[in-house]
Amino acid sequence: MSKKTIDRRTTLGLIGAGLVAAPFIRPSFGQAAWPEQTTVPDALKGSGEVRIATFGGLMQEVQQKAYFEPFEKITGIKVRAFPGSDATKIKAMVDTGNVEWDMAQLSRGSIMNLQKRGDYFEKIDYDLVDAGVEKQYRFEYGLEMLVWAQVLAYRTDAFKGAVPSGWADFWDTKKFPGDRAMFGTNSGGWPEMEFALMAAGVPADKLYPIDIDKALASYSKIKTDVFKWWDTGAVPIQLLTDREVTMTTVWNGRMAALQAAGVPAAVSWNQGLLKRDAWGIPKGAKNKINAMKFAAYSTMAIPQARVCLGIPYGSVNAKSNEYIPAERLAVLPSAPDIKKQLVNYNYDWWIENREAAIPKFNKWLLS
Amino acid sequence: MSEVVQPASLALAVSRPKTAPFDWRRAVPLLLAAPLLIYMLVFYALPVVAMLLRSVNDPTWTLANYATLFDDVVFQKTFWITLNTSVIVTLGCLILGYPVAMGLVRSKTMAPFILVIILLPFWTSVLVRSYAWMVLLGRHGLVNEALMALGMIDRPIRILNTTLATQIAMIHILLPYMILPIANALRQIDPSLIRAASGLGSTPFMTFRQVILPLSMSGVAAGTLLTFVLALGFYITPAMVGGPRDITLSMLIAQQVDQLNWAYAATLSAILLATALAILAVARKLPGVGNAFRTSMR
């Protein structure tokens, strides 16, 4: 009986956490161990302020300590952070000429999708950006600043010790019984067609261009087992905690809080998707020069490493790993052993094909 | 010529009703309402019109967005799901709500208690109430555990994230909108009519059928309309507790806004608004319902 009580309390805690988007447990390393960025190029110094939109929650708290506060101290530019970054708001701001953010945390996909519809973002000034930022993370209208993974997560108490690995196992409801949850198309989401293809045996390097019909045919095999198409990161975590599902897809950073809360759940990195967040500077932003400076500062090796220590996401700067202890590096999606199991998400394909893929997915879902 | 010699005051007095630019007494109600009217115009009507215009002029003037709806399977299914859910929820509210309204009006001692029970959840946010249903209906939630303890099921059944869960939660959220207008109508029934009916030998059931029910129809109509129109626009609850295919029109609109298809989202919004207005317009023409509007306004 007492076990049940604890379960319900944990459940309520998680639901509450989801509600206010403020995780209740901080799976971060002690701040004493964080490296300090003691010098910056003069080109990054300045005055005034920069208004930055983030995704809020624990992420913003980590960003505050990892690079907002140090940036203020070392450059003299004040940072004002706002939760609730959203490409639709940027469209409205730029359309009405009332741009309230100088920079926003988005993804290459959402930045380029909006840019396709008009001139909504400033070009990045790459003269300022640190040489350690790998080429694959740079694009014309944004700078990628956070590496994360969308992966398979499961309850370790559900399969009598069997360990699922990869999407064929996710699709195999005989060997791994129980309900599933997957990322859906609400809240601007893009369905996980890559997972459906890998479940159908398509090798990771042959995913793109995605064969939409083949992906939907594969989805059909587990359609009745997927009873929730989630739209925000808190949902799969709550479903795992409440034992509503035995397996789901998740954003890897959310799992740390779940495991720290003692829920018997684990991640299987194999065949996960490696995704990135990016800074975008809305067209006409008042402090766009300061925003460029901040984008450059935040992607330097040490500020990036500080984020990795605060929340289990990876760095875009090749030199960051020098500042991260080995045992921490081992749980980050950018760790070499993990990264090689993941598949690079192809934003370009999705930017080109989203408008064809999503109506097809919706139609399939309702049929 | 004679007009010229007329006293000026008389000319004024005679022509006053015609030429006076403004009868201040008649303008008072309008002036009193002006702040709200201007507020609604600027912050509600104009944005709604601007939003609806998007459905026909984004990027150029066209009706193409509406034309495509005819072969848009996703829209048609979603629209059907929305109407279907609204009908079931409205019927559920009526069946559950009418007896409660009776209790509220009939029982002098229990009335304040019943009213508090109805109103407390009414003042709680829809989000919180939907979360509460998640806790109750979950696979290891209270309902499943109670059913298991009673031996009615051997393992947890799926209630959360089904169409049934959407209906249960929506009925709970919308019940006050059904109960309060019905109770209002019941309260206005002259008690002497009921006494007269029983004095003339009517059984309680016959009194209900032939006196109370017909006289309360105005409240039933008002409650049904209110519940139905509100149910049409539900978004949070089906998204949170509904099944994988419970996509309502509002959810599709939100999805399309996020996917940056604003013209399509505006088109869907126009359809939703038109549906609600059409239902109200048709309902007003039905015998007895027009009265209901006036009664419920009192």
Side-chain angles (χ1 to χ4, degrees):
Chain A
M1 260 335 263
S2 67
K3 193 177 174 300
K4 280 184 179 169
T5 320
I6 289 162
D7 281 351
R8 186 158 308 120
R9 201 169 296 149
T10 324
T11 308
L12 285 169
L14 275 165
I15 287 172
L19 255 182
V20 297
F24 49 107
I25 280 170
R26 280 141 226 283
S28 57
F29 269 48
Q31 225 195 316
W34 289 20
E36 293 286 342
Q37 181 77 39
T38 48
T39 55
V40 290
D42 281 345
L44 297 189
K45 293 184 178 165
S47 60
E49 60 167 15
V50 56
R51 300 163 300 173
I52 303 175
T54 74
F55 290 144
L58 175 63
M59 183 74 222
Q60 188 179 323
E61 284 175 44
V62 169
Q63 286 171 315
Q64 188 71 30
K65 291 187 198 122
Y67 43 50
F68 293 165
E69 283 166 12
F71 177 75
E72 288 187 340
K73 253 184 238 156
I74 206 157
T75 65
I77 299 167
K78 276 214 82 64
V79 174
R80 283 166 62 202
F82 305 88
S85 178
D86 182 346
T88 56
K89 288 187 195 156
I90 290 178
K91 177 166 159 50
M93 285 181 190
V94 176
D95 282 349
T96 57
N98 184 19
V99 181
E100 290 169 16
W101 299 333
D102 299 315
M103 191 158 82
Q105 183 173 357
L106 295 163
S107 74
R108 184 190 291 231
S110 50
I111 290 173
M112 292 314 294
N113 244 308
L114 189 47
Q115 187 64 22
K116 259 170 70 180
R117 287 156 204 268
D119 201 8
Y120 286 97
F121 291 95
E122 300 281 351
K123 287 186 184 174
I124 299 294
D125 179 359
Y126 277 102
D127 290 343
L128 294 175
V129 175
D130 191 85
V133 178
E134 294 167 50
K135 193 165 176 290
Q136 56 165 320
Y137 299 125
R138 299 162 178 241
F139 63 105
E140 199 174 5
Y141 292 98
L143 173 59
E144 289 178 336
M145 38 64 84
L146 189 78
V147 178
W148 53 280
Q150 195 154 328
V151 289
L152 187 162
Y154 61 99
R155 281 199 62 109
T156 50
D157 57 358
F159 311 122
K160 304 187 179 81
V163 175
S165 171
W167 303 106
D169 287 348
F170 191 93
W171 255 245
D172 188 346
T173 49
K174 286 211 177 69
K175 198 167 154 202
F176 299 99
D179 287 322
R180 305 287 196 262
M182 292 188 83
F183 192 45
T185 52
N186 290 331
S187 306
W190 305 6
E192 299 158 319
M193 291 193 176
E194 292 87 349
F195 296 163
L197 288 176
M198 284 189 266
V202 177
D205 56 349
K206 300 252 160 44
L207 292 177
Y208 302 101
I210 287 175
D211 181 338
I212 297 172
D213 295 326
K214 188 169 181 181
L216 294 178
S218 172
Y219 264 135
S220 294
K221 294 185 186 136
I222 52 158
K223 190 172 185 179
T224 51
D225 300 296
V226 178
F227 83 122
K228 194 77 186 177
W229 297 90
W230 55 273
D231 49 5
T232 61
V235 174
I237 298 304
Q238 174 255 321
L239 294 173
L240 277 176
T241 311
D242 290 357
R243 288 175 287 164
E244 295 288 343
V245 297
T246 55
M247 248 197 267
T248 177
T249 57
V250 293
W251 296 336
N252 79 287
R254 301 271 182 164
M255 283 299 284
L258 184 70
Q259 288 161 332
V263 176
V267 154
S268 165
W269 294 101
N270 186 32
Q271 296 187 330
L273 280 175
L274 192 68
K275 295 188 168 186
R276 285 94 63 191
D277 282 0
W279 293 128
I281 300 173
K283 192 80 191 174
K286 209 167 61 190
N287 306 300
K288 69 174 181 183
I289 306 289
N290 284 346
M292 299 279 181
K293 288 176 179 175
F294 180 79
Y297 172 84
S298 66
T299 48
M300 290 170 78
I302 289 175
Q304 282 282 300
R306 288 167 69 90
V307 170
C308 300
L309 294 172
I311 193 165
Y313 289 127
S315 162
V316 296
N317 195 308
K319 290 178 288 179
S320 294
N321 289 358
E322 295 167 25
Y323 303 97
I324 303 169
E327 75 271 21
R328 180 61 174 178
L329 198 55
V331 301
L332 302 180
S334 54
D337 281 346
I338 292 173
K339 203 171 170 179
K340 70 182 182 208
Q341 301 179 56
L342 300 171
V343 182
N344 253 319
Y345 189 70
N346 188 336
Y347 286 102
D348 296 333
W349 186 87
W350 278 103
I351 293 159
E352 286 307 311
N353 296 283
R354 191 186 66 157
E355 270 149 57
I358 293 204
K360 275 193 174 179
F361 178 86
N362 280 341
K363 197 170 158 186
W364 167 83
L365 184 62
L366 288 168
S367 64
Chain B
M1 281 307 269
S2 61
E3 275 169 19
V4 177
V5 294
Q6 263 178 3
S9 60
L10 185 62
L12 263 180
V14 169
S15 61
R16 189 172 195 148
K18 273 185 206 156
T19 57
F22 227 71
D23 180 347
W24 285 100
R25 270 171 307 172
R26 271 165 71 189
V28 165
L30 192 67
L31 283 175
L32 286 174
L36 180 65
L37 285 178
I38 291 167
Y39 180 87
M40 292 294 280
L41 191 71
V42 172
F43 294 106
Y44 184 73
L46 288 181
V48 166
V49 169
M51 186 272 296
L52 292 179
L53 275 178
R54 265 184 196 276
S55 69
V56 288
N57 75 349
D58 190 358
T60 50
W61 288 98
T62 172
L63 283 174
N65 286 321
Y66 290 91
T68 54
L69 293 183
F70 287 103
D71 3 273
D72 184 342
V73 183
V74 171
F75 160 73
Q76 286 161 10
K77 287 219 158 138
T78 311
F79 191 60
W80 170 244
I81 291 169
T82 309
L83 286 181
N84 192 36
T85 308
S86 302
V87 168
I88 291 170
V89 167
T90 307
L91 283 177
C93 284
L94 184 59
I95 292 165
L96 293 175
Y98 198 101
V100 178
M102 291 275 281
L104 188 62
V105 174
R106 285 288 187 86
S107 167
K108 289 277 177 290
T109 47
M110 294 293 281
F113 180 67
I114 296 173
L115 200 62
V116 165
I117 296 217
I118 297 166
L119 288 180
L120 268 187
F122 189 54
W123 291 327
T124 316
S125 104
V126 173
L127 189 66
V128 172
R129 278 186 282 170
S130 300
Y131 264 112
W133 279 109
M134 286 171 76
V135 175
L136 289 175
L137 299 178
R139 186 149 289 199
H140 302 275
L142 282 181
V143 171
N144 259 315
E145 283 186 10
L147 289 176
M148 299 247 290
L150 291 172
M152 293 170 77
I153 50 174
D154 349 312
R155 64 187 144 156
I157 51 168
R158 184 194 286 182
I159 315 172
L160 184 63
N161 298 308
T162 62
T163 308
L164 180 67
T166 308
Q167 290 160 358
I168 293 174
M170 281 178 69
I171 287 173
H172 168 241
I173 289 165
L174 289 172
L175 259 176
Y177 295 96
M178 183 66 87
I179 295 173
L180 297 176
I182 296 180
N184 196 33
L186 287 172
R187 204 171 280 126
Q188 285 167 9
I189 297 176
D190 186 347
S192 58
L193 289 177
I194 296 162
R195 279 200 300 276
S198 53
L200 291 169
S202 163
T203 63
F205 179 73
M206 279 165 66
T207 312
F208 175 75
R209 268 276 323 267
Q210 297 181 359
V211 180
I212 298 174
L213 193 60
L215 287 173
S216 66
M217 278 319 278
S218 60
V220 169
T224 302
L225 272 179
L226 206 54
T227 312
F228 188 81
V229 169
L230 285 172
L232 279 181
F234 256 60
Y235 167 69
I236 294 173
T237 309
M240 281 173 60
V241 304
R245 290 182 220 184
D246 289 336
I247 301 179
T248 62
L249 208 47
S250 309
M251 286 166 74
L252 188 62
I253 292 169
Q255 185 201 92
Q256 294 303 320
V257 169
D258 280 330
Q259 305 277 5
L260 297 172
N261 296 329
W262 289 10
Y264 182 52
T267 311
L268 296 176
S269 307
I271 299 284
L272 188 58
L273 183 62
T275 309
L277 290 176
I279 287 165
L280 289 176
V282 170
R284 281 185 73 121
K285 293 273 185 280
L286 295 177
V289 182
N291 278 336
F293 275 105
R294 284 184 285 279
T295 313
S296 59
M297 292 297 160
R298 276 214 294 265

